[in-house]
Amino acid sequence: MSQPQFKKVFIFLDTDKHASPFDMLTTIDAFPDATIMKFENVTAEDADRILYDAMFPRGPEGAKHTKVFINGRDFDLANEILARAKKCMFPPFELSVIIDPRGAYTTASVAVAKTLKVSLEKNLGTLENKDVAVLAGTGPVGQTAARLYASEKAKVIVTSRTLQRASSVAAKINEEFETETVSGFQAQTSEDVGKAIANAEIILSAGAAGTELLPLGVLKESGKKCKIVADINAIPPLGVAGLDSNTDGKEMLPGVFGIGALAIGKLKNKIEVALIKRAAEEPKGIFDYRMAYELAKKSVTEKREDKKTPKTEPPKSWLP
């Protein structure tokens, strides 16, 4: 008796009232024949029931073709749902689970990877021991970027409007990576931002759309040590004044190389597709910011290696 051919099914668990079509459309374009199912306003308690009902009906073999995508603006709830998913699953009923809360994981992964790329291209070295300032570092993208910089052994300042919030995020990251290199900093005014970036070699503006965090005058006056500045906000006013959204590693000020939001966004979309495809290929596993960064880092370093490899013409005897 022949084995049944299982269709790929992507189940979206969204914490919001209305699930975003962005990730569903991205998935459909990657897998036109897949089935998309969505659940909205999902709570942690809802997740248990939905996940159990997704694990069992297709049997162990069918579970390999059932994928879960956790999404939503509620960053903490999305991660709570992920924790519940990990507890629910057991062999042989284990699903591939993607988590990218409103693109925060893929955006942060690409932003960090691109700063690494520019640092290597400009002969500034790796991210290890670099002083990094993540502005609005307690939001979903900021927290994730700070974690990734910490994983690369950088020294990170996380800013927030409240010191308690900034310090709490820093403490969690330090505990996670068993380090003391991440610190919180209260930044309510431009003057505060200037103090936060005073020693930064890399600055990442990770604020909300349409919010300027780093005025050009502050960058010029206080960012004397800055070599790379990146921004994830493409909606005016931009997060970093004077940084064109399309800039991709070019000088925005003498000795300061910029990475704009649209340059980050183009690669972010490609990395999300790669993350979805990786999850689709694997029968089980968690596909989170760590995997997204692995893919982003590989993408930018491979491109760099390609540029370094000289292109030689074949000997004339090879030519037809």
Side-chain angles (χ1 to χ4, degrees):
M1 188 174 179
S2 62
Q3 290 288 329
Q5 295 297 309
F6 289 102
K7 189 174 185 179
K8 284 195 186 335
V9 177
F10 289 85
I11 301 173
F12 282 77
L13 304 184
D14 204 298
T15 66
D16 295 354
K17 179 180 178 182
H18 300 295
S20 168
F22 187 103
D23 303 289
M24 287 185 277
L25 289 170
T26 300
T27 303
I28 289 169
D29 285 344
F31 294 96
D33 296 327
T35 295
I36 303 292
M37 302 171 65
K38 67 172 182 175
F39 295 86
E40 299 165 315
N41 274 331
V42 176
T43 66
E45 291 74 20
D46 293 332
D48 286 357
R49 175 179 53 81
I50 297 168
L51 286 162
Y52 282 132
D53 285 348
M55 287 161 52
F56 300 126
R58 310 175 87 192
E61 190 60 33
K64 297 176 183 178
H65 301 273
T66 305
K67 316 297 173 180
V68 175
F69 199 130
I70 301 171
N71 210 334
R73 296 190 185 280
D74 192 327
F75 186 72
D76 292 333
L77 178 55
N79 277 282
E80 187 178 349
I81 290 171
L82 175 63
R84 300 290 279 259
K86 290 177 179 178
K87 288 183 179 179
C88 285
M89 295 185 297
F90 57 89
F93 296 98
E94 296 172 281
L95 312 178
S96 296
V97 180
I98 307 162
I99 178 168
D100 189 18
R102 282 299 174 269
Y105 283 171
T106 45
T107 300
S109 296
V110 169
V112 174
K114 275 192 166 288
T115 60
L116 170 61
K117 178 190 177 196
V118 173
S119 188
L120 293 172
E121 286 179 344
K122 305 307 177 184
N123 296 316
L124 301 172
T126 66
L127 298 175
E128 187 171 355
N129 292 321
K130 287 284 191 300
D131 283 291
V132 179
V134 181
L135 307 181
T138 58
V141 175
Q143 285 190 50
T144 307
R147 277 184 167 80
L148 291 171
Y149 280 122
S151 75
E152 293 282 14
K153 299 181 181 179
K155 294 171 283 186
V156 189
I157 284 180
V158 172
T159 76
S160 175
R161 291 188 177 277
T162 64
L163 180 58
Q164 182 180 5
R165 175 74 170 151
S167 298
S168 175
V169 168
K172 287 179 182 177
I173 297 172
N174 283 330
E175 182 179 2
E176 183 177 339
F177 291 97
E178 297 181 346
T179 183
E180 295 181 355
T181 60
V182 183
S183 58
F185 194 98
Q186 182 173 319
Q188 294 183 332
T189 66
S190 294
E191 183 180 357
D192 293 337
V193 171
K195 292 176 182 177
I197 68 169
N199 293 311
E201 298 162 89
I202 297 173
I203 302 169
L204 172 62
S205 176
T211 304
E212 182 180 288
L213 296 179
L214 182 56
L216 188 58
V218 174
L219 177 57
K220 289 179 177 179
E221 181 64 28
S222 301
K224 303 294 187 183
K225 297 182 180 180
C226 180
K227 300 299 181 184
I228 302 168
V229 60
D231 183 17
I232 68 162
N233 169 28
I235 298 176
L238 304 179
V240 179
L243 174 56
D244 187 280
S245 293
N246 289 295
T247 299
D248 195 0
K250 294 182 179 179
E251 276 189 321
M252 65 166 292
L253 293 171
V256 179
F257 302 95
I259 305 167
L262 293 182
I264 290 171
K266 287 176 185 176
L267 183 56
K268 173 255 186 281
N269 293 341
K270 292 179 181 179
I271 295 304
E272 180 173 351
V273 171
L275 188 68
I276 292 168
K277 287 183 176 179
R278 179 69 68 86
E281 291 167 0
E282 298 293 336
K284 62 182 180 179
I286 306 300
F287 300 82
D288 58 5
Y289 74 92
R290 298 173 185 84
M291 177 62 72
Y293 183 58
E294 179 184 314
L295 293 168
K297 188 174 178 180
K298 182 178 180 182
S299 172
V300 300
T301 53
E302 279 184 347
K303 288 178 182 177
R304 182 170 179 268
E305 288 301 319
D306 288 345
K307 288 182 180 179
K308 287 169 62 179
T309 303
K311 295 182 179 179
T312 58
E313 291 186 5
K316 289 189 188 229
S317 60
W318 294 2
L319 298 175

